[in-house]
Amino acid sequence: MSLLDIQNLSVNIEKKQVLDGVNLSVDAGETHVLMGPNGAGKSTLGYTIMGNPRYTVAGGKIIFDGEDITELSPDKRAAKGIFLSFQQPLEVPGITLESFIRNALQQQTGERVKLFQFQKELKATMKLLNMDESYASRDLNVGFSGGERKKSEILQLLMLKPKLAILDETDSGLDVDAVRTVSKGIEEYQKRQNGALIIITHSTKILESLSVDKTHVLVKGKIVKDSDGTLVQKINEEGFEQFLR
C-alpha cells in the first residue's frame, strides 16, 4: 500500500479548475520530483495535499497512510505526518523559532517535549545546516535572509520528522552554497526517517545529491508524463516544449 495515493483529483480555486484528474502514488522512502511550466498547478497540488482551505476538491480522493484525508483540516494532516515547506516562508512576530518547533512537536505527538533533549537535538541540527544558534531565540523568520528562511524550513523538517515532506521551490532564490546546505539537510531527512519526498522545483541543483525515484510533469493541471529520475536531465536539456505540444 502506498503512503500517499491521490486518486483522480480535481481542484478548483473559486470557480476556476486548476487540477484535472491527477493521479499520483508515493511509497514510503521514495523521492518524487514534480516539474512543469509556470502556472501548471504544481504548488496547487502541494497545498491541496496539505489541506489549504483556499483550494476546493471538486472530485477524487487523497489517501494518506491508508486513510481518506480529503476532508481533514491542515492541523490534523500535519499531526498525521505531512509537512509542507513554502516558497516564501512568512514572518511570524511574537514566537521564536525554537518555540514554534517545540509547540509543533507537542501538537504532533500530543506529549510534552522534554526541553533538554529537544534543545540538544535542535543545536545539533542547526549546526548541520550551518545556522547560527542565535536564530533559535529570534522571532520566526523575522529579519531572516532568504537563505536563512529556507534553512529554517529544513530545520523544521528535520525536527518534526514527518512521514511525507512536500518541498515547494525550496531552492528558489538561493545561492550555490545555500542550495548545497539545504540539499544536505534534505539528504539527512531521507537517511534518518526513510521519509517520502515530493520536491516541486524549476531548478535541478537541489536534486544533484539526491536519488530521484520518479519524475512527473504537470501541464495545465494534468500530469502528462511519468518517468524515473532520468527525465530530470532530459528536461534540463530540452525544456518543457515537448510536453506543451
Side-chain angles (χ1 to χ4, degrees), residues 7-245:
Q7 302 173 359
N8 200 31
L9 185 68
S10 294
V11 174
N12 297 341
I13 298 179
E14 297 177 350
K15 294 183 179 181
K16 181 182 178 182
Q17 187 177 56
V18 285
L19 292 179
D20 181 10
V22 171
N23 292 286
L24 179 68
S25 292
V26 180
D27 291 340
E30 287 187 339
T31 295
H32 289 233
V33 175
L34 189 62
M35 304 184 77
N38 290 330
K42 302 184 299 297
S43 294
T44 294
L45 181 57
Y47 285 123
T48 303
I49 295 169
M50 196 69 238
N52 188 319
R54 183 184 175 211
Y55 302 88
T56 302
V57 175
K61 293 181 180 180
I62 303 172
I63 309 296
F64 182 71
D65 212 7
E67 179 182 351
D68 187 344
I69 64 166
T70 311
E71 302 297 329
L72 283 189
S73 60
D75 60 316
K76 291 181 179 178
R77 299 185 196 208
K80 290 184 179 297
I82 303 177
F83 174 93
L84 172 67
S85 74
F86 298 97
Q87 288 187 38
Q88 301 293 335
L90 299 175
E91 293 185 356
V92 185
I95 181 169
T96 66
L97 174 59
E98 179 179 340
S99 295
F100 178 81
I101 296 174
R102 189 170 71 248
N103 289 336
L105 271 172
Q106 289 179 168
Q107 290 293 322
Q108 184 186 69
T109 63
E111 300 176 358
R112 188 173 181 83
V113 173
K114 295 179 180 179
L115 187 59
F116 176 78
Q117 183 60 37
F118 168 78
Q119 290 181 330
K120 181 180 178 182
E121 184 178 351
L122 183 67
K123 288 180 180 179
T125 308
M126 293 184 80
K127 184 177 181 181
L128 173 74
L129 296 173
N130 295 323
M131 289 187 74
D132 191 300
E133 289 182 15
S134 65
Y135 279 85
S137 58
R138 291 174 60 176
D139 285 359
L140 179 62
N141 293 328
V142 176
F144 288 24
S145 68
E148 295 299 339
R149 290 187 184 204
K150 296 300 178 74
K151 289 181 184 180
S152 167
E153 294 274 285
I154 301 303
L155 176 66
Q156 295 166 46
L157 168 67
L158 291 173
M159 292 296 294
L160 293 173
K161 305 176 180 66
K163 296 177 183 177
L164 169 68
I166 305 163
L167 307 183
D168 189 5
E169 302 284 357
T170 300
D171 51 348
S172 176
L174 299 184
D175 61 28
V176 174
D177 290 335
V179 169
R180 189 176 295 116
T181 300
V182 167
S183 296
K184 183 179 179 182
I186 296 170
E187 190 176 10
E188 188 67 21
Y189 163 73
Q190 289 180 308
K191 290 178 182 177
R192 290 183 185 181
Q193 291 302 116
N194 191 35
L197 278 164
I198 298 176
I199 300 176
I200 301 168
T201 185
H202 285 288
S203 169
T204 56
K205 290 180 181 178
I206 199 169
L207 305 175
E208 289 176 358
S209 62
L210 303 176
S211 175
V212 175
D213 295 291
K214 295 182 182 178
T215 306
H216 314 277
V217 179
L218 194 66
V219 175
K220 294 181 180 179
K222 296 183 178 183
I223 292 180
V224 297
K225 179 70 174 179
D226 298 290
S227 187
D228 57 19
T230 60
L231 182 58
V232 172
Q233 183 58 37
K234 186 174 182 181
I235 291 171
N236 268 344
E237 295 170 353
E238 301 177 16
F240 295 112
E241 184 63 31
Q242 58 189 308
F243 305 111
L244 298 178
R245 294 196 296 268

